[in-house]
Amino acid sequence: MNLPNKLTILRIVLIPIFMLIIVPIPQWLIDLGFLSFIRPQLISVNYFINNYGNYVAALIFIIASSTDALDGYIARKTKQVTNFGKFLDPIADKLLVTAALIALVEGGALSTWVAVIIIGREFMITGLRLVAASEGIVIAASNWGKVKTITQMIAIITMLFKNYPIRWLCDFPFDGVIMFLAVIATIYSAYDYIVKNAKVLDHNS
C-alpha cells in the first residue's frame, strides 16, 4: 500500500477517535449498575469532554483534514494514483465532515437543518457522479466545489473551537457567519454541478 492510501486510511481511523473525544458518555451508560466500580472515572472523562473535548477534537479534525490535501498532492506528484485511492478518498472526506456535523448537532452548536443540507448535498452529487460514471462520464471537481469544501472546513473548525480566538477580541459570531457562507456555497455548488451536467440526467441521452 502506498503512502497516499495510508494517509487516507489514517483519516478514517481518526474519525472514531474524534467522536470519542467530542461526544460525552451517555448518562444511562454511566448509571449502569455493573459499571459502578468505574463511575467516578466515567464522570471525570465526561468532565474533560464537556470542558476541553471540542478543542482537542478541533486539533484532530485539522490533522485529519490536512491529510486530504496531502494524500492527493503526493499521489499526483509521485504518480501513485490508484483506483483504491480514488474510491476511498472521497468516502473518507465525507465521513469526516459528516461526523463533525453530527457531533456539533449533538452538542447543540449547530442546527439540524444545516447538517441535513450539507450531508444531503453530498448524497445528491455522489449520486450524480455514479450516474455519470455508468455512462462513461467523469465529473471533475468544480471551483465552487472547492469553495464549498474550504468554507465547510473553516466553519467546522471555528465551531469546534467555539469561535476562539475571535471571542477574545469581540462578540462577532464568526463561526455562525462562516457556516452560513458554507451553506450558501454548498447549495450553489450543487446547483452548479447539476446545471453543468444536466445531460447526465437527461433520460433521452
Side-chain angles (χ1 to χ4, degrees):
M1 182 179 294
N2 60 35
L3 179 58
N5 289 344
K6 289 179 180 178
L7 288 173
T8 301
I9 291 175
L10 172 63
R11 187 155 71 255
I12 294 175
V13 170
L14 287 174
I15 293 171
I17 298 174
F18 169 87
M19 295 298 290
L20 287 172
I21 291 294
I22 196 173
V23 178
I25 301 170
Q27 189 61 44
W28 64 265
L29 186 60
I30 295 176
D31 292 337
L32 287 177
F34 69 89
L35 293 178
S36 59
F37 69 101
I38 58 169
R39 184 170 296 151
Q41 288 75 20
L42 295 178
I43 293 173
S44 296
V45 169
N46 266 5
Y47 176 84
F48 175 85
I49 291 174
N50 289 326
N51 289 278
Y52 309 106
N54 268 59
Y55 308 112
V56 178
L59 294 175
I60 294 174
F61 185 87
I62 291 172
I63 294 171
S65 300
S66 65
T67 65
D68 179 25
L70 186 60
D71 62 11
Y73 172 78
I74 294 174
R76 291 187 297 271
K77 189 74 173 178
T78 60
K79 297 182 179 180
Q80 297 185 64
V81 177
T82 64
N83 288 334
F84 179 77
K86 292 178 182 178
F87 164 74
L88 199 62
D89 185 67
I91 291 177
D93 298 341
K94 290 172 177 56
L95 283 174
L96 178 62
V97 171
T98 299
L101 292 173
I102 291 174
L104 288 169
V105 170
E106 177 76 13
L110 185 66
S111 167
T112 305
W113 278 106
V114 173
V116 169
I117 289 171
I118 293 176
I119 296 171
R121 182 266 184 202
E122 298 304 329
F123 276 109
M124 183 185 302
I125 301 306
T126 298
L128 179 64
R129 288 182 186 277
L130 289 173
V131 173
S134 70
E135 300 294 329
I137 301 172
V138 177
I139 299 179
S142 69
N143 289 331
W144 273 106
K146 294 174 183 177
V147 171
K148 177 269 304 181
T149 299
I150 292 171
T151 53
Q152 282 182 7
M153 293 299 182
I154 295 174
I156 289 171
I157 290 169
T158 54
M159 282 199 157
L160 288 173
F161 274 122
K162 299 181 179 180
N163 210 29
Y164 284 110
I166 304 297
R167 286 178 61 180
W168 292 336
L169 305 175
C170 61
D171 292 330
F172 182 70
F174 179 77
D175 53 350
V177 172
I178 193 67
M179 183 58 79
F180 174 77
L181 294 177
V183 171
I184 297 300
T186 296
I187 294 172
Y188 188 80
S189 69
Y191 167 80
D192 184 58
Y193 270 113
I194 292 172
V195 168
K196 289 181 178 178
N197 299 279
K199 62 180 181 180
V200 174
L201 302 176
D202 184 359
H203 69 279
N204 292 320
S205 62

